[in-house]
Amino acid sequence: WSLLARPPSLELLSVSQLVRSRQNRSMFRIPPYHYLHVLDQTTNVTRLETGPQTFVKKDNEMVLSNTEKMVVVPPRHFCVISNPAMTDENKQVLLDNLGQVRLHHAEDEVRLQQVPFPLYPGEEIKVKITLLTVVPALSALRLKVTRDFTDEDNQQRRAGDEMLFEGPGTYIPRKEIEVIGQHKAIIIKPNTAVKLRATRETTDKNGVNRVAGEEWMVKKNGSYLPGVYEEVVVTCTAYFLTDKTAVHVAATQTFTDEKGRQRKSGEEYLITVDDMEAFIPGVYENVIETKGITTLTNRQYCIIVNPVGANGKPQLGAKKLVKGEKSFFLQPGELLENGVQDIFILGENEGIVLKALEAHKDTFANPPVDRKPGDNWMLTGPLEYIPPVEVIVLSTRKAFPLHQNEGIYVRNTNTGKVRAVVGKTYMLQEDEELWEKQLPLIVKTLLSSESHTAADKHYAKEWKNPNKENVQDDTVGDTWDGTKVVTFQVPHNAAVQLYDYKSKMSRVVFGPDLVMLGPDEQFTQLSLSAGNPKKPNMWKAIALWLSPIFTSDVITVETSDHARLQLDLQYNRHFEIEDLTNQVEASKLFCVGDFVGDLCKAMASRIRGAVSSITFDDFHKNSAKIIEVAVFGMNPETRKVRERIKFPANNFVVTSVDIKSVEPVDQRTRDSLLKSVTLAIEITTQSQEAAARREAERHEQESQGKLERQRIEDEATSEKARKKLLALQAESAAIESTGQAKAEAFSRAEAARIEAEAAVQEAKLKAQAHKIETEAELKRMNAAREADIKFALEQNNLEVEKAEKMAKIETDKFNKMVTVLGTKTIQAMASGPQDHQVKMLQSLGLSSTLITDGRTPINLLNTAGGLLGNVGTQP
């Protein structure tokens, strides 16, 4: 309150000014539930002054603080006071002999809800007012004892002990205990469990004593709050077992399982659905894997290695054959050899090669045969076969259907002999195997290439060197099948040489034909020169082209006046052989390895020798003649150039030579030649231009004469046409004048006719429209009248029907009233007045009476007769 009562100017004062102001004041107003600390400077004792009061400070006293509000602890709150004041049994504060408040130094005191209290000198608030901790259900506070004490249950607590405060509840703190954590309960769902471990000796929730490090499982469904000395190792989920799944489990130490069976340490076993539907591994159980069921159809089998025997132990090294149909689980330690296998179903052209691993009696054969280890035999179809454990299948065989132009290489594994089987369906026997023929890579490339394999089939600029271009080597290696008999289709007018390394004989095959290599035969490779100028070993081939073909080459020659020229030549050549059946003559074709290179070298040397003895001008004028003489030579008898030249070593014939181009090698010679050629071209061009100019002038004069004559003829024709035009114009004017009058009269008559027809048509349409309107009005009136008549009839009918029904209702009403009243009642009602009058007259003694109003005349004769009627009738 003193703080609220301070003027705003004091908020700007410094702390020293506030202290000085407080010391200068002598009177302090202490509101209720407030206090002051006052220091007696004489005795150096600090005392407490509480409100409400007005405190007057003495000269030897000092106010240590402003007026402070007492500490108010609300409900469900607490605070911690450091250095609390000592109190007696009646909660009174103890003072020493000097009047100073006695304190528990270095102590704490937890204070809960109570009346507002001041802080005595020396007391401090260590923990401000704080809400008490509410521990919900399924949770707990982990507490640790910081000093020895005895709790409310008279239980001794030692420093370092830990405990749990389980909810639901409100935790009231103590100075001897500190909160070190909070635990929440674990919800154990169905088919789950919690593995716990004891951190020190304790007793679990079920009252079982546990030692440090011991582990156990809690499988009861619901919430579980671990104890203070329990830690959760892992939450385990059950393995659901079906008729197709099982669990492979290993025991980590000897124990007794839930079924009461003792499990040894290291023992492995299988848990199936026959044992339980859901399996939760125990503390001493380790799940190795989940196994699926092995199912065999009636066309499958398997071999189990190390099968489990009748004693439940694996029989190491043994094997067991299981045939389908069957379903089973592999026991721990059992393995499937090569997995589940299909039985061998062999067709008519199929077989299998078998090998015996152990001595046994083969009952599959008829009659049974004793097999020894290492025996090989073969079974051919059609049949079904399941090999026993004593037998292994080395390979399966299938017959090769071979055309007459197809074959395979077969090697006998016992003798090593290789043979080629061609043109029939063949199945390898048990002692035979396919043999892969080894061919040079360049031969494989040539056989697999889509391009022509004949030598010199293309020009040199299109050739390539397979040894230097190995782009397709991998592709050829992947697609090449060396077990098939190597075949090659020799092109027409080509030849191929085959060499048998075993018999050391060669043969030449001429196309078109199909070559099939024997096991010991190889193609003779041709390595030819290619390119311009020719380079050796640039083209590989296995077939030799025999027909005429051109071979081009570029050579450099030098004339006698030292002019160096580059010649681009082309030779027409072919191979000449008379008897194709003569192998001696045919083998000459392949005697010269690089016949292209030899041809170009021989021709180049002859041409260089001939050109070196003549001048450039002579060669430029007679180049073709000089080269033909140099190549073919002169016939000494006829003194004419020979028509061809033949190389007898390989029957190679050159029939012609063509000069494609002649270019000087020296630049100056080339420029001079270019100038002379240009000058010759200019002279020729000028002479041709002059002749063309004279011819053009002659043609121009002739054209002008023809043009003038044509102009005169055109003028005459034009005059004739003009005359005809004038006559036609006059005739057209006459026709126009008469035709206009006729047209006007005809148009007026036609207009009058059209107007009359339109008027007639209009009158007809109006009459028709009036007729339609009249008929429509008549129909409308007839319909209206018919509707009125119909309405009146229906209304009359309704009125009649209503009257009849009302009359019937009245009749029924009258009949019912008469029936209800009865005839006697109606009679009484009708004769009631008369009877009353008769009785009244009788009571008066009158026989008859007449009452009138005096204005109505009365027939007294009839009245008297009536009155006297009874008298005349008496006897």
Side-chain angles (χ1 to χ4, degrees), residues 600-614:
C600 295
K601 291 177 182 177
M603 297 296 104
S605 62
R606 293 186 179 189
I607 294 172
R608 290 192 189 98
V611 174
S612 62
S613 60
I614 59 178

Side-chain angles (χ1 to χ4, degrees), residues 749-779:
E750 186 69 19
R753 186 182 63 79
I754 292 173
E755 288 178 358
E757 290 179 355
V760 172
Q761 186 69 20
E762 183 180 2
K764 289 181 180 180
L765 292 175
K766 286 183 179 180
Q768 187 177 0
H770 186 267
K771 182 181 179 181
I772 293 171
E773 290 177 356
T774 305
E775 291 177 354
E777 183 65 22
L778 181 59
K779 290 181 180 179

Side-chain angles (χ1 to χ4, degrees), residues 66-136:
N66 292 326
T67 304
E68 299 288 343
K69 188 176 181 181
M70 292 185 181
V71 180
V72 179
V73 181
R76 303 188 64 81
H77 287 71
F78 75 98
C79 66
V80 179
I81 305 300
S82 180
N83 303 322
M86 295 182 182
T87 57
D88 56 9
E89 297 176 356
N90 298 326
K91 301 297 181 180
Q92 298 296 324
V93 178
L94 300 179
L95 303 176
D96 57 8
N97 52 3
L98 297 177
Q100 181 74 34
V101 177
R102 298 176 62 184
L103 302 176
H104 289 287
H105 293 283
E107 285 285 348
D108 295 332
E109 181 181 352
V110 178
R111 296 183 184 180
L112 304 175
Q113 178 187 1
Q114 55 183 293
V115 297
F117 61 89
L119 293 178
Y120 288 93
E123 289 184 338
E124 296 178 357
I125 296 179
K126 184 177 182 180
V127 178
K128 295 181 179 180
I129 298 173
T130 306
L131 183 67
L132 290 174
T133 302
V134 177
V135 182

Side-chain angles (χ1 to χ4, degrees), residues 572-618:
N572 189 3
R573 47 84 176 176
H574 66 276
F575 288 93
E576 189 176 78
I577 183 169
E578 297 178 357
D579 188 5
L580 299 179
T581 59
N582 190 348
Q583 289 292 326
V584 176
E585 291 295 326
S587 61
K588 290 183 179 180
L589 298 175
F590 296 88
C591 290
V592 180
D594 188 4
F595 61 89
V596 176
D598 294 346
L599 168 65
C600 295
K601 291 177 182 177
M603 297 296 104
S605 62
R606 293 186 179 189
I607 294 172
R608 290 192 189 98
V611 174
S612 62
S613 60
I614 59 178
T615 62
F616 173 74
D617 293 335
D618 295 339

Side-chain angles (χ1 to χ4, degrees), residues 24 27 46 58 118 139 217 278 287 296 302 377 404 407 431 497 577 775 808 852:
N24 294 332
M27 185 175 63
T46 303
K58 299 179 180 180
S139 62
M217 302 289 293
V287 177
L296 302 178
C302 67
W377 71 97
Q404 61 181 358
D431 57 349
Q497 186 181 37
I577 183 169
E775 291 177 354
K808 186 178 181 181
T852 181

Side-chain angles (χ1 to χ4, degrees), residues 195-198 210-217 231 233-234 282-284:
K195 182 186 285 187
L196 302 177
R197 180 188 296 124
R210 304 291 183 180
V211 297
E214 182 179 355
E215 295 181 354
W216 68 97
M217 302 289 293
E231 64 177 356
V233 179
V234 69
V283 178
Y284 306 114

